[in-house]
Amino acid sequence: MEKTSLKLKNSLLLLLTATIWGVAFVAQSVSMDYVGSFTFNAVRNLIGAVVLLPVIWFLNRGSKADSTKSTRSGTDRKALITGGIACGILLCLASNFQQLGIKYTTVGKAGFITACYIVIVPVIGLFLKKKCSSFIWAAVVLALAGLYLLCIQDGFSIGKGDLLVLICSVLFSLHILVIDHFSPLADGVKMSCIQFFVCGVLSGIPALLFESPSLSGLLDAWIPILYAGVMSCGVAYTLQIVGQKGMNPTVASLILSLESCISVLAGWLLLGQRLSVREGAGCAIMFCAIVLAQLPEKRRSVRIAQNEG
């Protein structure tokens, strides 16, 4: 009974995380009226890094009593720095492609196209000699069909914003695979803080070169910037860390992928953006692909759990 209650609590935390990330698409869209894409990402990520500092301090207080890990500190520190920098570079590329894409497409479409990472990840895994089941390939076909309905316009053309967000989805897929490699080797919250700092600094360079950041523009966009920095980066990441403890990772990723649906609802409720019937069908098909892509992983996790038991 206690385990069931804990799983329910963790599921709700992950749902809250997905909600925060879904609404963040609205914040990203609104901010474009006041600040440039690079400026927005530079400031939001630096805020996210600052927000995580007290979290790291609090977690370190609880771990000071454990001195058994001190012999591994050198290796852990190397993995932490390497992983943080690698994640920060990929996050910088992905978030800036996404931010530029949102300027030319709707919040809902951006949310769903970004969610393609759940299908793209296993495809990239093929090049890393990771086999994919027939369920994964079926999900890929469904996702392509959904993308066609959602993005392809008259004359078999794809919108500029859709293409930019699709590139962002591929980059986020690489970001997920890098996190998957480094997360067992380093502290997740510290690595996230480093990646936010790296992403913020790297985004700040083109912001200074190609944009004209101004204090007035930042003040005009302070609500979406603070939301994206504090809630989307700092709070949501911490909720994800807490919520995934003891959770089946497949179930967790499925709950988090609901950010795409929430982005559509947020765009409709807050910005009045609506999808056509064709685009809505594309969203529905893509969501089915996202769910289907998780099923084999869930079954495999069950088999592993049974074997371990």
Side-chain angles (χ1 to χ4, degrees):
M1 192 72 178
E2 187 175 341
K3 287 185 177 180
T4 303
S5 177
L6 181 60
K7 286 184 177 180
L8 177 60
K9 176 185 175 182
N10 288 351
S11 296
L12 292 175
L13 288 177
L14 291 177
L15 180 59
L16 180 56
T17 302
T19 302
I20 293 173
W21 284 344
V23 177
F25 281 96
V26 174
Q28 290 173 253
S29 180
V30 171
S31 70
M32 299 295 288
D33 295 332
Y34 306 101
V35 295
S37 303
F38 295 113
T39 301
F40 176 79
N41 278 322
V43 176
R44 73 176 285 199
N45 279 282
L46 291 176
I47 290 175
V50 172
V51 167
L52 285 182
L53 289 177
V55 176
I56 293 171
W57 176 79
F58 179 78
L59 293 177
N60 281 345
R61 286 186 61 194
S63 61
K64 280 183 178 179
D66 187 3
S67 59
T68 59
K69 297 181 182 179
S70 59
T71 57
R72 296 177 48 201
S73 60
T75 303
D76 291 346
R77 189 177 296 110
K78 182 179 179 181
L80 174 65
I81 295 174
T82 304
I85 292 175
C87 289
I89 292 172
L90 285 171
L91 181 63
C92 174
L93 293 171
S95 59
N96 281 300
F97 267 106
Q98 183 186 65
Q99 189 66 16
L100 288 171
I102 288 177
K103 186 177 181 180
Y104 303 103
T105 189
T106 65
V107 168
K109 290 172 74 173
F112 267 94
I113 296 173
T114 300
C116 277
Y117 63 75
I118 297 183
V119 177
I120 296 174
V121 167
V123 174
I124 295 178
L126 283 177
F127 298 95
L128 302 176
K129 298 182 180 180
K130 295 182 179 181
K131 295 181 179 180
C132 289
S133 69
S134 56
F135 282 93
I136 295 295
W137 291 116
V140 170
V141 173
L142 274 179
L144 289 176
L147 272 175
Y148 177 83
L149 293 176
L150 184 63
C151 303
I152 303 301
Q153 303 167 356
D154 295 335
F156 202 77
S157 63
I158 185 169
K160 179 180 179 181
D162 301 329
L163 181 59
L164 290 172
V165 178
L166 186 58
I167 294 173
C168 143
S169 184
V170 175
L171 291 168
F172 269 131
S173 300
L174 295 173
H175 181 253
I176 290 170
L177 291 172
V178 171
I179 288 178
D180 181 66
H181 174 75
F182 282 103
S183 58
L185 307 174
D187 182 277
V189 179
K190 291 180 180 178
M191 189 168 71
S192 182
C193 184
I194 293 175
Q195 80 164 349
F196 288 147
F197 179 75
V198 170
C199 181
V201 171
L202 291 179
S203 297
I205 295 173
L208 294 174
L209 292 176
F210 305 116
E211 298 174 352
S212 301
S214 64
L215 182 59
S216 60
L218 293 174
L219 291 176
D220 288 337
W222 72 271
I223 294 179
I225 288 176
L226 275 184
Y227 181 89
V230 177
M231 298 298 293
S232 183
C233 290
V235 175
Y237 183 83
T238 305
L239 288 176
Q240 183 190 12
I241 294 290
V242 175
Q244 280 194 222
K245 288 183 178 180
M247 284 283 290
N248 182 308
T250 300
V251 176
S253 64
L254 181 56
I255 296 173
L256 291 174
S257 72
L258 292 175
E259 67 171 302
S260 58
C261 295
I262 294 167
S263 71
V264 175
L265 294 175
W268 171 51
L269 293 173
L270 301 178
L271 300 180
Q273 295 179 346
R274 304 211 175 178
L275 298 177
S276 66
V277 175
R278 176 190 174 95
E279 291 170 335
C283 288
I285 292 174
M286 286 182 64
F287 184 74
C288 289
I290 291 170
V291 175
L292 185 59
Q294 302 304 307
L295 294 181
E297 293 294 325
K298 185 176 181 180
R299 291 180 179 179
R300 185 160 51 210
S301 298
V302 172
R303 287 201 299 270
I304 292 174
Q306 289 175 343
N307 291 336
E308 290 178 349

